[in-house]
Amino acid sequence: MTSHQHPPEKMMFQLTLRRRGISDQAVLRTMEEVPREQFVDEADRDGAYRDSALPIACGQTISQPFVVAYMTEQLQLQKQHRVLEIGTGSGYQAAVLSRLAGQVLTVERYRRLADTARVRLEKLGCHNVEVMLGDGLNLPPNIGPFDRIIVTAAMEQIPENLIERLEVGGILIAPVGPHQGVQTLIRLTRSAAGIERKELVDVRFVPALPGVAREL
């Protein structure tokens, strides 16, 4: 359905991802299959497949396709993995994760975004995703551990209590840096010997804020 609606845009979308270095065929296929236009506001649907971030409700954004594909590729997902996402937003990243992993728990602080994402994901058949309204910076102790953790909002530093939820052999990806400005994507890999940290690429994300939003 999507490819009939947006053939030139979808072709450029895939070409752009490949040109920018995305090579994992499972990730490319998933990016092709998930209908991005279903996750943006109606007014932005004509531009859904451009390689740019777009505004969504509650002052948040849906990340540009390259960043979604890049972060997903860096997670090295397998079907048995249990994934935690901090920052559901539109639900687009969770939809991508759902096709590559076994289970996805995605946490959102805005009720409006959580409720809308839940409906979208259910409609698209992403039945292995649970959307939770909550504070991604202060999760309940009974949640976890996870094979993979992805943070889709800017953190000034990665909280220790998030790193502790990572299984041995697990990978965590998060944008780290000042809330206003440029962040660097950081990949943490947990081994029996400890945590290995690697800086990846510069990005811009909206801030990760504590607490559940009182409104919206």
Side-chain angles (χ1 to χ4, degrees), residues 145-148 164-171 189-194:
F146 297 90
D147 302 294
R148 301 290 187 265
E164 287 168 0
R165 293 173 195 270
L166 202 56
E167 291 270 26
V168 172
I171 296 172
T189 306
R190 179 185 284 282
S191 70

Side-chain angles (χ1 to χ4, degrees), residues 6-22:
H6 300 279
E9 291 88 346
K10 285 294 287 285
M11 284 172 64
M12 281 307 298
F13 172 75
Q14 284 288 316
L15 277 170
T16 300
L17 293 179
R18 286 179 164 88
R19 283 173 181 161
R20 295 196 66 182
I22 304 301

Side-chain angles (χ1 to χ4, degrees), residues 10-184:
K10 285 294 287 285
M11 284 172 64
M12 281 307 298
F13 172 75
Q14 284 288 316
L15 277 170
T16 300
L17 293 179
R18 286 179 164 88
R19 283 173 181 161
R20 295 196 66 182
I22 304 301
S23 60
D24 186 309
Q25 292 305 306
V27 173
L28 287 166
R29 187 166 56 250
T30 300
M31 296 294 291
E32 171 74 23
E33 290 171 353
V34 174
R36 185 173 164 90
E37 75 276 6
Q38 299 293 322
F39 294 88
V40 302
D41 293 342
E42 196 141 353
D44 291 318
R45 286 193 172 176
D46 285 347
Y49 290 96
R50 284 201 304 267
D51 196 30
S52 59
L54 292 169
I56 59 171
C58 306
Q60 305 302 293
T61 58
I62 176 173
S63 296
Q64 71 186 92
F66 169 72
V67 171
V68 173
Y70 182 82
M71 291 177 79
T72 303
E73 188 174 61
Q74 290 293 322
L75 285 173
Q76 302 170 22
L77 290 166
Q78 296 176 23
K79 277 295 184 186
Q80 74 271 21
H81 285 157
R82 185 165 186 248
V83 183
L84 171 66
E85 179 191 26
I86 306 294
T88 310
S90 68
Y92 179 64
Q93 176 73 73
V96 170
L97 296 170
S98 77
R99 290 175 178 256
L100 297 164
Q103 284 182 292
V104 179
L105 172 64
T106 180
V107 182
E108 175 54 58
R109 68 188 298 268
Y110 291 102
R111 183 178 298 278
R112 179 178 169 188
L113 291 178
D115 290 348
T116 306
R118 194 178 290 113
V119 170
R120 281 182 182 136
L121 291 162
E122 190 66 31
K123 198 178 290 185
L124 288 170
C126 301
H127 302 308
N128 60 339
V129 180
E130 179 187 349
V131 180
M132 184 177 96
L133 179 69
D135 180 356
L137 299 177
N138 187 24
L139 294 166
N142 62 332
I143 292 178
F146 297 90
D147 302 294
R148 301 290 187 265
I149 298 175
I150 179 170
V151 182
T152 58
M155 295 180 147
E156 291 177 331
Q157 57 185 16
I158 301 171
E160 194 59 40
N161 66 1
L162 198 57
I163 299 170
E164 287 168 0
R165 293 173 195 270
L166 202 56
E167 291 270 26
V168 172
I171 296 172
L172 182 155
I173 302 272
V176 178
H179 281 174
Q180 306 303 323
V182 178
Q183 302 95 34
T184 301

Side-chain angles (χ1 to χ4, degrees), residues 182-198:
V182 178
Q183 302 95 34
T184 301
L185 269 186
I186 302 296
R187 184 180 71 200
L188 302 183
T189 306
R190 179 185 284 282
S191 70
I195 300 290
E196 179 191 334
R197 177 186 171 108
K198 184 175 183 183

